[in-house]
C-alpha cells in the first residue's frame, strides 16, 4: 500500500500529535499499533494501546477542541485518514439527540481525565433544545396515533378537461391540541423518527377507504360513477411483502374494490428498497394501481419506469409552479408529459393553483390534476359531501 490522501503509513517512534495540538483528521488503524499517552509530572503515562480496526484522533474533531492526548506509533502503522470535514458532515446529518449523545460522551471522557485536560466544552444549547423538541414531538405523535388526533383528509383529483373530480388523494392531518392542524411537513419527520410510518399510513388508508367505500355506494345508487382513492405509503412498507395482504383486509372491511385504490410511492422509496418491485407486483395482481409520486424530484435515472409496474406519474407541483414563469421549466414539464404518453402512463399534475396553469397543462396533453384550484384537502366526510354535490 502506498501513501495517499486516504491511506498513510507511519514508522515506529513517529509522534502523530501531542495533547493540546489542533486537530485536522482522525485515523483508523489497519495494521500496527499506536500508543495514546499524556505527559504528567511522573513522565509519560500510557492511556491506551490501539490496534487494527480502532479509531483515534476523533475526539478533538467531534467536540472541536484541542487533542485530548498524544499519539505515538509503537509498531509501523498503516491507517485510513478520516478528514475533519467528513466527520463534521456526518455529525451534522445525525439527529439532534444523537449529536447530544456523542458530545456528552466525549465531554464525560474528558472530564474523567480532567486535571491535565481542561478543554472540555459544555453542551451546545441549540442542539439540546432541538433534541428536546424532537423527543416531545415523537411522544406527542405516539399519543396522537393512539388518541385519534390524526385523521385522513381528502383532496380531489380531477379531469382537467372539465374539472370533474374522479377521485381523491388521502393525506394525513394532525389535530394537535396546542398547535392546531398540522400537515405532512410537521408530521412525517416525527413519525419516521418514532418508527410509526406504517401505523400512520395504514390508519389513513383505512379511514379513507371506509369513507370512499360508503361514498361510492351512494354514487352507484344515484346512478353515478364511483371514484378512487390514492394513498401514500412510505419506505417502511417495502422492506417485506406484508402490504398487499394487509390492504386486502382493509379493502374488504371498507367494501372498496381493489380497483378503486391507488398506491402512491415516491421515486426514492422505489429505488432504495430492493423488495419494492415485488411488493408492487403483488398489489397490482390484486387489482390496485400504482402512482409514482413526486415524479422528477428524486432519482435521476429513468430505467425504473420500464422495470416497475407503474400506472400513473404524479408530476410534482414544483414543475407546475415554475412552468408559467420559465421557458425551461415549461419544456421540462412538456417532456415529462411526452415521456408518460410514450410509455402509456397517465400523468396527474400536482399543485395546480390557477386557471392559467390548468390550461397550460391541458394544452400539453395532461389529463388529470389536483391542487387548490380544484379543492384543498378537507376532512374525509366534508370532502365526500362536497364531491357528491359536484358530480
Ligand atoms: P483526540 O482528542 O482527537 O486526540 C487524542 C486521541 O486519543 C483522542 O482523540 C482519542 O482518539 C484517543 N484517546 C483519548 N483518551 C483516550 C483513552 N482514555 N483511551 C483510549 N483512547 C483515548
Ligand atoms: Mg402523494
Amino acid at each position: 500500500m502506498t501513501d495517499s490522501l486516504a491511506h498513510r503509513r507511519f514508522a515506529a517512534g513517529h509522534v502523530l500529535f501531542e495533547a493540546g495540538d489542533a486537530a485536522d483528521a482522525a485515523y483508523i488503524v489497519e495494521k500496527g499499533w499506536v500508543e495514546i499517552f499524556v505527559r504528567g509530572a511522573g513522565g509519560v503515562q500510557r492511556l491506551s494501546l490501539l490496534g487494527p480496526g480502532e479509531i483515534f484522533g476523533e475526539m478533538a474533531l467531534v467536540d472541536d477542541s484541542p487533542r485530548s492526548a498524544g499519539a505515538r506509533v509503537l509498531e509501523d502503522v498503516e491507517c485510513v485518514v478520516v478528514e475533519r470535514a467528513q466527520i463534521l458532515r456526518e455529525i451534522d446529518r445525525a439527529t439532534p439527540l444523537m449529536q447530544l449523545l456523542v458530545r456528552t460522551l466525549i465531554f464525560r471522557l474528558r472530564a474523567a481525565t480532567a486535571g491535565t485536560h481542561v478543554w472540555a466544552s459544555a453542551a451546545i444549547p441549540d442542539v439540546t433544545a432541538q433534541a428536546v423538541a424532537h423527543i416531545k414531538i415523537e411522544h406527542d405523535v405516539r399519543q396522537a396515533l393512539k388518541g385519534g388526533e390524526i385523521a385522513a383528509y381528502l383532496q380531489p383529483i380531477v379531469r382537467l378537461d372539465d374539472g370533474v373530480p374522479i377521485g381523491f388523494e388521502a393525506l394525513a392531518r394532525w389535530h394537535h391540541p396546542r398547535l392546531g392542524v398540522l400537515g405532512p411537513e410537521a408530521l412525517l419527520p416525527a413519525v419516521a423518527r418514532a418508527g410509526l410510518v406504517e401505523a400512520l399510513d395504514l390508519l389513513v388508508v383505512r379511514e379513507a377507504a371506509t369513507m370512499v367505500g360508503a361514498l361510492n355506494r351512494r354514487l352507484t345508487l344515484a346512478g353515478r360513477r364511483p371514484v378512487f382513492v390514492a394513498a401514500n405509503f412510505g419506505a417502511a412498507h417495502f422492506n417485506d411483502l406484508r402490504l398487499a395482504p394487509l390492504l386486502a383486509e382493509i379493502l374488504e372491511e371498507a367494501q372498496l374494490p381493489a380497483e378503486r385504490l391507488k398506491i402512491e410511492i415516491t421515486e426514492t422509496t422505489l429505488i432504495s428498497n430492493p423488495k419494492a418491485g415485488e411488493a408492487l407486483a403483488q398489489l397490482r395482481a390484486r387489482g390496485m394501481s400504482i402512482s409514482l409520486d413526486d415524479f422528477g424530484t428524486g432519482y435521476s435515472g429513468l430505467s425504473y419506469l420500464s422495470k416497475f409496474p407503474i400506472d400513473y406519474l404524479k408530476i410534482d407541483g414544483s414543475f407546475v409552479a415554475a412552468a408559467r414563469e420559465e421557458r425551461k421549466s415549461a419544456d421540462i414539464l412538456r417532456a415529462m408529459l411526452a415521456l408518460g404518453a410514450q410509455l402509456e402512463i397517465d400523468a396527474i399534475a400536482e399543485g395546480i393553483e390557477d386557471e392559467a396553469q390548468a390550461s397550460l397543462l391541458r394544452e400539453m396533453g395532461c389529463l388529470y390534476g389536483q391542487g387548490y384550484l380544484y379543492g384543498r384537502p378537507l376532512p374525509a366526510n366534508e370532502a365526500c359531501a362536497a364531491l357528491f354535490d359536484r358530480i
Side-chain angles (χ1 to χ4, degrees):
M1 187 189 66
T2 53
D3 274 4
S4 72
L5 267 184
H7 277 104
R8 297 287 302 274
R9 289 205 278 203
F10 300 103
H14 180 79
V15 174
L16 281 103
F17 49 75
E18 294 270 354
D21 284 356
D24 59 355
Y27 306 86
I28 298 171
V29 181
E30 290 195 314
K31 263 192 191 159
W33 290 90
V34 174
E35 178 190 45
I36 303 296
F37 66 94
V38 285
R39 296 179 195 278
V44 171
Q45 187 198 338
R46 177 180 289 177
L47 292 180
S48 182
L49 262 184
L50 302 177
E54 293 184 285
I55 189 167
F56 67 95
E58 77 296 344
M59 288 172 55
L61 300 184
V62 172
D63 66 1
D64 199 18
S65 304
R67 295 292 190 194
S68 60
R72 182 198 348 258
V73 178
L74 274 192
E75 200 176 273
D76 288 5
V77 156
E78 291 182 6
C79 58
V80 173
V81 179
V82 192
E83 302 288 342
R84 177 195 186 82
Q86 196 165 2
I87 290 189
L88 296 186
R89 216 170 30 241
E90 301 270 333
I91 291 178
D92 236 36
R93 263 194 232 138
T95 62
L97 181 58
M98 190 54 72
Q99 293 185 32
L100 184 62
L101 291 176
V102 169
R103 303 240 350 166
T104 303
L105 290 173
I106 290 191
F107 183 86
R108 301 248 198 280
L109 181 59
R110 283 194 191 262
T113 43
T116 43
H117 313 103
V118 290
W119 305 287
S121 54
I124 318 167
D126 280 6
V127 172
T128 309
Q130 267 191 52
V132 169
H134 278 188
I135 291 163
K136 278 194 181 144
I137 203 161
E138 279 176 44
H139 172 265
D140 288 357
V141 157
R142 211 167 265 122
Q143 295 302 111
L145 270 170
K146 277 196 222 145
E149 288 170 20
I150 293 178
Y153 274 42
L154 299 176
Q155 180 174 38
I157 295 177
V158 307
R159 271 195 317 244
L160 289 180
D161 59 358
D162 55 10
V164 169
I166 50 167
F168 294 109
E169 177 173 359
L171 299 156
R173 286 288 184 275
W174 181 5
H175 289 261
H176 194 286
R178 288 189 321 274
L179 306 174
V181 181
L182 301 180
E185 323 73 47
L187 183 56
L188 293 184
V191 167
R193 280 197 310 274
L196 294 171
V197 170
E198 287 172 280
L200 174 81
D201 290 347
L202 292 174
L203 181 148
V204 170
V205 70
R206 181 172 283 122
E207 203 171 305
T210 305
M211 292 302 294
V212 173
L215 171 68
N216 279 347
R217 286 190 289 284
R218 283 179 62 204
L219 287 169
T220 311
L221 278 177
R224 294 187 290 178
R225 279 179 62 83
V227 296
F228 66 80
V229 61
N232 297 280
F233 295 91
H237 297 279
F238 299 96
N239 300 325
D240 54 45
L241 299 173
R242 282 181 307 163
L243 185 58
L246 264 172
L247 286 179
E249 257 175 53
I250 289 176
L251 289 171
E252 196 180 323
E253 264 172 44
Q255 297 176 49
L256 184 75
E259 290 67 30
R260 302 269 163 247
L261 178 63
K262 297 191 196 308
I263 306 297
E264 295 204 2
I265 176 173
T266 66
E267 282 181 315
T268 321
T269 297
L270 184 57
I271 299 309
S272 53
N273 287 275
K275 286 236 164 70
E278 204 181 336
L280 293 184
Q282 285 193 354
L283 294 163
R284 212 140 169 263
R286 290 182 187 260
M288 295 162 232
S289 55
I290 313 297
S291 295
L292 191 60
D293 210 356
D294 299 343
F295 180 62
T297 64
Y299 193 70
S300 56
L302 291 169
S303 58
Y304 61 87
L305 286 180
S306 59
K307 199 167 136 208
F308 296 113
I310 291 161
D311 304 287
Y312 297 89
L313 294 180
K314 293 203 77 174
I315 310 263
D316 192 72
S318 56
F319 296 101
V320 176
R324 291 265 308 163
E325 278 79 53
E326 300 165 31
R327 249 302 292 288
K328 282 218 168 95
S329 299
D331 288 344
I332 292 174
L333 188 56
R334 201 184 304 276
M336 288 164 90
L337 290 166
L339 180 69
Q342 190 68 36
L343 295 169
E344 297 181 350
I345 303 176
D346 281 334
I348 302 173
E350 292 188 288
I352 305 176
E353 292 188 349
D354 55 44
E355 191 45 55
Q357 290 170 341
S359 71
L360 183 69
L361 284 160
R362 274 195 295 269
E363 201 181 289
M364 291 179 175
C366 182
L367 296 181
Y368 308 108
Q370 73 188 88
Y372 287 180
L373 176 65
Y374 302 107
R376 289 172 185 262
L378 290 176
N381 54 350
E382 286 177 39
C384 288
L387 185 137
F388 192 80
D389 293 339
R390 261 175 76 190
I391 64 176

